[in-house]
Amino acid sequence: MGIERRSQLGVCLMIAVDGLTLSRGERVLFRDLSFSAVSGEVLALTGANGAGKTSLLRALAGFLRPDAGTVAFADVDPAEARTKHLHWLGHLDGLKGARRAREELAFQAQWLGAGADGVAAAVDVLALEPLLDLEVRQLSAGQRRRLAFARLIAVQRPIWLLDEPLSPLDARWRAALGLLMQAHVERGGTIIAAVHDPLPVVHRTLDIGAGR
């Protein structure tokens, strides 16, 4: 099952999936899926549309209850792991369009417990300063993705669950966020990402099926 370890991120957790079965409505997405991801690793989930990549991430995050199987986080209770040690970034960014970017970032920071230094670091690293006085609905898709990524920088948590994290970004920002991912795993973090395009960071691939 693995052991709890320490790194620059504090607790680093191995996530272990055993015998997972997930359905959507009457259709079984996959059966008896088992894998693990450890500290310092990037795992790319691949598969056709409808294979269940997003559903798998949502099950890992605790948003979906599997039909069978377990998701465990080393020696830490799953509820504690999901509350304190995990970041979820969905394909939809979950931002409020009517808020100014500054207000949205402040809301995320307060919700997650980010300090002023963490927020300042996120603004600096993601070049958000020129966007902060704009309403979120005025931002481009790539700018919104950078704003959504800010929570991952502002609050350091070891496990990142990312759904198509780079899809709306141009080549410059894909490369830049690839460097952020690399820095995260070098500090002992773990990334599990559902992707269609290759990630700009060394990774292991798990193909979960052909879909329908």
Side-chain angles (χ1 to χ4, degrees):
M1 177 69 219
I3 59 173
E4 186 175 317
R5 290 179 289 174
R6 298 274 172 179
S7 78
Q8 297 175 51
L9 296 170
V11 176
C12 285
L13 307 176
M14 183 179 82
I15 183 168
V17 174
D18 184 32
L20 206 68
T21 298
L22 278 180
S23 299
R24 181 186 296 148
E26 298 298 319
R27 182 167 71 87
V28 176
L29 297 172
F30 50 78
R31 295 182 186 275
D32 199 28
L33 179 66
S34 297
F35 66 91
S36 63
V38 301
S39 171
E41 181 176 29
V42 180
L43 179 63
L45 305 177
T46 62
N49 290 334
K53 300 185 297 296
T54 296
S55 295
L56 175 55
L57 286 178
R58 289 178 63 82
L60 299 181
F63 302 143
L64 290 180
R65 185 186 299 274
D67 302 321
T70 60
V71 178
F73 299 85
D75 300 322
V76 177
D77 178 78
E80 178 183 348
R82 288 163 173 151
T83 301
K84 297 181 179 180
H85 304 304
L86 184 149
H87 274 305
W88 158 262
L89 183 60
H91 184 62
L92 299 176
D93 51 49
L95 305 173
K96 297 294 185 182
R99 286 186 182 139
R100 296 191 183 277
R102 186 186 309 277
E103 297 167 342
E104 183 64 22
L105 180 55
F107 172 80
Q108 293 181 20
Q110 182 178 14
W111 179 262
L112 295 170
D117 289 346
V119 173
V123 170
D124 180 57
V125 168
L126 296 165
L128 295 175
E129 185 65 40
L131 310 178
L132 292 180
D133 290 325
L134 298 176
E135 291 184 351
V136 171
R137 61 189 169 198
Q138 295 176 293
L139 304 181
S140 71
Q143 290 169 336
R144 290 171 65 102
R145 178 57 68 170
R146 283 157 52 200
L147 181 60
F149 246 92
R151 72 192 73 153
L152 280 65
I153 307 303
V155 181
Q156 298 293 310
R157 294 183 171 185
I159 297 176
W160 292 2
L161 302 181
L162 311 177
D163 193 3
E164 295 291 345
L166 307 181
S167 58
L169 298 172
D170 60 24
R172 171 200 169 193
W173 279 105
R174 286 188 176 212
L177 291 181
L179 292 177
L180 290 179
M181 292 180 184
Q182 183 62 38
H184 180 65
V185 298
E186 287 177 356
R187 291 194 299 269
T190 303
I191 299 173
I192 303 178
V195 299
H196 285 294
D197 301 322
L199 290 171
V201 62
V202 175
H203 59 275
R204 179 167 60 93
T205 299
L206 174 65
D207 191 329
I208 65 170
R212 293 183 184 178

